[in-house]
């Protein structure tokens, strides 16, 4: 598999060919709005369920499965072989590092909407757990892949004190009201969605945090993002491998204009 030729989710042949950010299957004739990259590794302790969730059967042509021995190797592999318009399925939130770095290499200014119950703004020095999955947004900002002014954190409600301090020091945009500021003037937007941003009644997440967003709330955020800037990619992480999550992911992808395979009737 490669970013130019992918496995069609409908006819299961490797005949979905990339063109202008989309894929068209030369066998069944269907078109799809993104190429699916599976990145199953969870960089922390006890993340087996997240790794299994990377195998959920989404209706997008599969371009690659990234399995590397280190987070650095995973990031490099994903960034270097990223579809023009990716749908990245993790695994933990570290999948978004390679996705954003890959897009940043192609565009002068990439905005990021980070939907997460947590901030993911720790460093190795501030993290209370040492789990890398609590650091990816801070990694992207500190490494310069994205400017803090082009980031908005939505749905966060379980922040560590060092994360709160970083937000105050940098004036990082928070909530739906910050979307316009973060996306203004950007070449496009990448949406990073940790499933725990949803209320536990709405989504089956690896971490469940009370008082989350409803699925309709997330859909409104994504719809606004799609109106304000070209959607460069979509990444989903932090799930458990439950089939009920599939239709919800595909619904949100449609909101961003990333059409999956039509469901059978």
């Amino acid at each position: 598999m490669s970013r130019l030729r992918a496995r069609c989710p409908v006819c299961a042949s490797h005949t979905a060919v990339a063109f202008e950010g989309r894929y068209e299957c030369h066998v069944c004739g269907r078109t799809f709005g993104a190429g699916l990259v599976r990145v199953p590794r969870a960089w922390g302790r006890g993340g087996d369920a997240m790794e299994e969730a990377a195998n959920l059967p989404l209706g997008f042509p599969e371009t690659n499965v990234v399995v590397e021995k280190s987070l650095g190797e995973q990031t490099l592999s994903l960034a270097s072989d990223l579809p023009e318009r990716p749908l990245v399925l993790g695994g933990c939130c570290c999948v978004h590092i390679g996705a954003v770095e890959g897009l940043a290499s192609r565009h002068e200014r990439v905005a990021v909407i980070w939907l997460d119950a947590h901030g993911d703004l720790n460093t190795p020095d501030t993290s209370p757990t040492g789990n890398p999955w609590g650091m990816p947004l801070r990694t992207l900002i500190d490494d310069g892949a994205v400017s803090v002014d082009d980031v908005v954190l939505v749905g966060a409600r379980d922040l560590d004190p060092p994360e709160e301090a970083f937000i105050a020091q940098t004036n990082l945009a928070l909530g739906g009201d910050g979307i316009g500021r973060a996306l203004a003037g950007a070449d496009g937007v990448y949406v990073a969605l940790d499933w725990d941003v949803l209320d536990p009644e709405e989504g089956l997440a690896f971490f469940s945090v009370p008082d989350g967003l409803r699925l309709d709330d997330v859909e409104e955020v994504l719809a606004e993002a799609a109106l304000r800037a070209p959607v460069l990619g979509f990444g989903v992480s932090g799930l458990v491998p439950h089939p009920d999550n599939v239709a919800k992911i595909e619904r949100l992808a449609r909101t961003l204009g990333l059409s999956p395979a039509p469901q059978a009737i």
Side-chain angles (χ1 to χ4, degrees):
M1 292 180 289
S2 72
R3 61 177 176 167
L4 299 178
R5 185 177 293 273
R7 182 173 63 86
C8 175
V10 177
C11 62
S13 59
H14 291 83
T15 51
V17 178
F19 71 106
E20 297 181 351
R22 296 179 176 270
Y23 284 82
E24 179 177 314
C25 179
H26 285 185
V27 172
C28 67
R30 289 176 172 86
T31 60
F32 310 91
L36 173 63
V37 185
R38 301 184 187 276
V39 191
R41 183 71 183 267
W43 299 96
R45 293 181 294 276
D48 292 351
M50 285 190 282
E51 295 187 355
E52 292 177 28
N55 294 314
L56 285 170
L58 298 185
F60 289 85
E62 183 179 297
T63 70
N64 199 5
V65 179
V66 178
V67 181
E68 301 293 349
K69 295 180 180 179
S70 71
L71 177 54
E73 290 171 318
Q74 172 182 294
T75 297
L76 180 60
S77 177
L78 179 57
S80 62
D81 199 27
L82 196 69
E84 184 175 345
R85 186 179 293 116
L87 195 165
V88 183
L89 182 62
C92 71
C93 287
C94 293
V95 301
H96 307 306
I97 301 175
V100 174
E101 288 191 358
L103 293 171
S105 70
R106 304 172 187 171
H107 303 277
E108 184 174 346
R109 185 176 169 192
V110 175
V112 173
I113 298 179
W114 199 275
L115 293 118
D116 202 316
H118 307 90
D120 292 351
L121 291 166
N122 275 303
T123 69
D125 293 331
T126 66
S127 171
T129 65
N131 289 326
W133 63 48
M135 310 178 198
L137 181 53
R138 181 65 177 271
T139 298
L140 285 168
I141 293 170
D142 287 355
D143 288 352
V146 62
S147 168
V148 70
D149 294 330
D150 298 331
V151 175
V152 57
L153 177 61
V154 179
R157 55 197 184 276
D158 188 9
L159 297 170
D160 297 317
E163 294 180 305
E164 294 176 334
F166 179 81
I167 291 170
Q169 292 165 4
T170 60
N171 195 29
L172 189 150
L174 297 175
D177 293 342
I179 293 175
R181 189 185 96 187
L183 272 60
D187 296 329
V189 59
Y190 175 82
V191 177
L193 174 60
D194 187 321
W195 214 237
D196 66 23
V197 78
L198 292 166
D199 190 85
E201 294 183 359
E202 288 279 313
L204 295 155
F206 179 75
F207 290 104
S208 292
V209 182
D211 303 320
L213 301 182
R214 313 299 293 186
L215 195 65
D216 288 347
D217 298 330
V218 173
E219 193 167 29
E220 287 182 10
V221 170
L222 270 53
E224 180 178 355
L227 285 174
R228 289 184 177 272
V231 176
L232 302 178
F234 181 33
V236 185
S237 56
L239 302 106
V240 295
H242 195 286
D244 287 355
N245 283 331
V246 172
K248 294 175 182 179
I249 297 172
E250 293 184 350
R251 169 183 166 183
L252 297 177
R254 286 189 185 92
T255 301
L256 289 171
L258 309 179
S259 56
Q263 296 181 355
I265 298 177

